């Protein structure tokens, strides 16, 4: 019997995206409900550990998550401001929603 741990990892990634999306939507006032550190770890894991095999996303195309580099920089240098910014929140929400809804077919990166 073979266990497909890669498939389980990708399913866990989608569940984590759904959880982070819910936290992002829970924000009230000027305090982000989503932890910038949690989002940073998630985005690094996504960028460094996975590649896009197929995308049906209207916003995100290509085979890598290299487009996350600018978001990662902003989250590291200005975490709270980034999470409160309407532009960044839209990008983050789109990414998490597309991941959670299965708009990406993912595979582990070859270097892992």
């Amino acid at each position: 019997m073979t266990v497909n741990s890669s498939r389980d990892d990708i399913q866990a990634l989608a569940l984590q995206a759904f959880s982070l999306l819910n936290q992002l939507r829970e924000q009230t006032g000027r305090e982000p409900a989503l932890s910038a550190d949690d989002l940073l770890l998630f985005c690094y894991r996504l960028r460094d550990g996975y590649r896009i095999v197929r995308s049906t996303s209207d916003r995100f195309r290509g085979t890598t998550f290299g487009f996350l580099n600018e978001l990662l920089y902003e989250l590291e240098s200005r975490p709270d401001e980034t999470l409160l910014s309407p532009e960044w929140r839209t990008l983050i929400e789109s990414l998490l929603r597309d991941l959670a809804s299965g708009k990406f077919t993912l595979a582990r990166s070859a270097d892992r």
Side-chain angles (χ1 to χ4, degrees):
M1 178 170 101
T2 304
V3 176
N4 190 346
S5 65
S6 179
R7 184 175 176 194
D8 292 342
D9 287 347
I10 292 169
Q11 188 174 26
L13 196 68
L15 290 172
Q16 187 178 8
F18 182 74
S19 174
L20 292 171
L21 181 60
N22 285 336
Q23 290 174 46
L24 182 68
R25 291 177 175 168
E26 289 173 4
Q27 175 182 327
T28 56
R30 299 284 305 156
E31 194 63 33
L34 175 63
S35 161
D37 289 340
D38 290 345
L39 185 59
L40 262 172
L41 290 173
F42 179 80
C43 288
Y44 272 121
R45 177 177 164 212
L46 191 61
R47 186 197 66 183
D48 297 341
Y50 297 89
R51 62 183 172 82
I52 302 169
V53 175
R54 187 173 66 84
S55 173
T56 59
S57 171
D58 294 332
R59 185 168 189 158
F60 306 105
R61 300 287 180 189
T63 59
T64 70
F65 287 101
F67 61 83
L68 292 176
N69 289 334
E70 190 174 349
L71 173 60
L72 289 165
Y73 174 80
E74 291 296 322
L75 284 169
E76 286 177 346
S77 59
R78 303 176 4 188
D80 291 335
E81 294 90 343
T82 302
L83 289 175
L84 293 172
S85 159
E87 293 83 11
W88 286 115
R89 286 179 61 83
T90 298
L91 179 118
I92 294 164
E93 186 172 353
S94 296
L95 173 65
L96 295 174
R97 186 180 53 248
D98 287 354
L99 281 165
S101 67
K103 288 191 175 188
F104 295 112
T105 301
L106 303 178
R108 290 275 203 150
S109 292
D111 58 350
R112 276 189 69 136

